Amino acid sequence: MDKKILLIYTGGTIGMVPTEAGYAPKAGYLQSFLESIPALSDPSMPKWELLELCPLLDSSNMTVLDWNRIGRIIEEHYDAFDGFVILHGTDTMAYTASALSFSLENLDKPVVITGSQIPLFEVRNDGLDNLLTSMLIAAEGRVHEVALCFSNKLMRGNRSVKTSATDLYAFSSPNYPALADIGTRILYNNMIPPRKVEGPFRVQELKKIPIGIIKVFPGIQFELFEEIMSESLKGIVLETFGAGNIPGTADAILPIVRKARENGTVLVICSQCLKGSVSLGTYETSAALKEAGAVCAYDMTTEAAVAKLYYLFSCGYDAETVKAKMEEDLVGELSK
Ligand code: ASP
């Protein structure tokens, strides 16, 4: 195949080696390991080059600055390659996929993010299949967005969630159909319209915006969270029950709502349910949030909501504009 793809290894199980402290990534190891795999030099496969992040990271340690480093690599090599495969740890893969789906503006080439639950060096592993399939998808050029490929499913990156710490089938896309079903052939979903590209490709630098997540639970005392609602806090994602419901009387949430309003903090309402959508005002228990002008995340994942807050504030929008854009579908991350 005369297509050329860039593999970007960020760290993560797929390329890790055993150490006394457990699996850890090792600089330089993956290049020689991949060169020893005959399938990767088969004529049916695209040509590839590998770049590694320095330092390599367990994805639990990744921050917005690492998302920027990945973005810059893609930007620098955008014209020279047909597609990109990011080899990444599974723990925060859905966050990275979501963040890149926003920051890689006007993306017109495949960016496929993958990894594995068992490292490639183990005889029985899921990494080789994930890698080969991702490379083929990146070379075929049928997707023009950030997609997550894992265990024979191709998902929209900003719709994916890690749903198992141990199953090889580790990711799901509960609110959006698969971009492709991968069996004996790779069958792309033709019902999904291609994304609109409205200008030249560019990468929006993300900033370390102070944001937080609060997960509600029976008996939560909202007043305890008042202290963290400082002026510097730009956004809070509230993970609520079901369709956006919170426990307690309408007054219970007031300390948070009042502080958010005073400080210009954007309050985003997501659901703890993986499937379905937030619908504020359907129940009395979400009416206070609706009245307070909280942002409805609809069926957005928490990962996408967090990434979108980072992105919108990094673009320099004021709180009112961020609120409005949080409820808009920017890159396929939500449906109403
Ligand atoms: N802790 C690892 C990581 O996310 C887990 C994995 O790659 O599966 O980097």
Side-chain angles (χ1 to χ4, degrees):
M1 198 189 276
D2 59 3
K3 296 286 181 74
K4 209 169 145 198
I5 61 156
L6 182 64
L7 306 177
I8 303 165
Y9 181 46
T10 65
T13 298
I14 190 163
M16 284 187 178
V17 292
T19 72
E20 275 173 15
Y23 290 149
K26 183 177 166 200
Y29 164 79
L30 198 59
Q31 177 74 36
S32 53
F33 190 86
L34 294 186
E35 281 168 10
S36 73
I37 299 175
L40 289 182
S41 51
D42 191 88
S44 63
M45 291 299 291
K47 312 268 177 305
W48 58 272
E49 280 175 34
L50 174 74
L51 284 180
E52 289 185 345
L53 281 199
C54 180
L56 292 168
L57 294 169
D58 185 296
S59 76
S60 314
N61 291 324
M62 290 184 86
T63 68
V64 286
L65 303 182
D66 303 302
W67 299 339
N68 287 337
R69 292 201 290 158
I70 300 170
R72 277 197 296 273
I73 292 176
I74 294 177
E75 191 172 36
E76 277 163 28
H77 298 85
Y78 194 69
D79 293 330
F81 290 87
D82 296 292
F84 301 85
V85 173
I86 303 169
L87 302 170
H88 195 284
T90 58
D91 288 342
T92 64
M93 191 186 286
Y95 283 96
T96 302
S98 298
L100 293 177
S101 77
F102 295 110
S103 68
L104 304 184
E105 292 178 354
N106 295 314
L107 180 67
D108 200 19
K109 292 189 176 186
V111 171
V112 185
I113 184 162
T114 193
S116 69
Q117 294 279 55
I118 309 173
L120 277 167
F121 81 86
E122 299 275 9
V123 174
R124 177 180 168 267
N125 73 76
D126 55 331
L128 187 56
D129 239 21
N130 287 345
L131 172 64
L132 295 176
T133 308
S134 300
M135 288 173 71
L136 288 171
I137 290 167
E140 270 173 1
R142 292 279 302 275
V143 290
H144 304 264
E145 60 178 285
V146 178
L148 189 150
C149 179
F150 216 92
S151 56
N152 292 327
K153 271 268 180 273
L154 188 69
M155 291 157 259
R156 175 159 287 169
N158 56 33
R159 295 293 195 144
S160 62
V161 272
K162 182 174 179 182
T163 41
S164 175
T166 45
D167 291 346
L168 300 186
Y169 189 85
F171 287 86
S172 309
S173 172
N175 280 325
Y176 203 75
L179 299 180
D181 284 309
I182 302 158
T184 51
R185 290 166 50 212
I186 298 170
L187 295 175
Y188 292 91
N189 186 343
N190 292 324
M191 302 301 284
I192 297 175
R195 284 206 20 235
K196 289 176 265 148
V197 173
E198 279 156 355
F201 174 71
R202 75 174 285 275
V203 181
Q204 171 63 48
E205 187 92 0
L206 300 173
K207 298 186 181 136
K208 284 164 90 177
I209 307 293
I211 56 177
I213 303 177
I214 300 176
K215 180 170 182 161
V216 306
F217 56 91
I220 186 171
Q221 296 169 41
F222 285 113
E223 63 275 16
L224 297 180
F225 294 87
E226 216 180 325
E227 295 238 323
I228 63 158
M229 299 289 298
S230 72
E231 273 174 24
S232 58
L233 194 64
K234 296 282 187 200
I236 287 260
V237 173
L238 197 63
E239 271 201 358
T240 58
F241 302 133
N245 303 311
I246 50 167
T249 61
D251 291 353
I253 188 78
L254 280 183
I256 287 191
V257 166
R258 201 182 308 120
K259 279 268 183 165
R261 199 179 292 137
E262 278 167 24
N263 297 337
T265 304
V266 176
L267 194 57
V268 182
I269 312 304
C270 281
S271 175
Q272 292 174 21
C273 296
L274 288 176
K275 201 162 163 42
S277 188
V278 169
S279 165
L280 297 182
T282 298
Y283 292 91
E284 199 184 1
T285 41
S286 68
L289 293 173
K290 191 178 167 128
E291 272 157 36
V295 167
C296 178
Y298 297 96
D299 61 353
M300 226 182 336
T301 62
T302 297
E303 289 85 337
V306 165
K308 196 169 172 180
L309 280 173
Y310 275 128
Y311 170 72
L312 292 173
F313 279 112
S314 299
C315 289
Y317 295 122
D318 59 32
E320 282 312 306
T321 312
V322 170
K323 273 177 152 183
K325 288 192 179 285
M326 282 301 290
E327 293 195 352
E328 275 171 38
D329 174 23
L330 300 185
V331 285
E333 75 281 9
L334 66 82
S335 6
K336 291 187 183 178

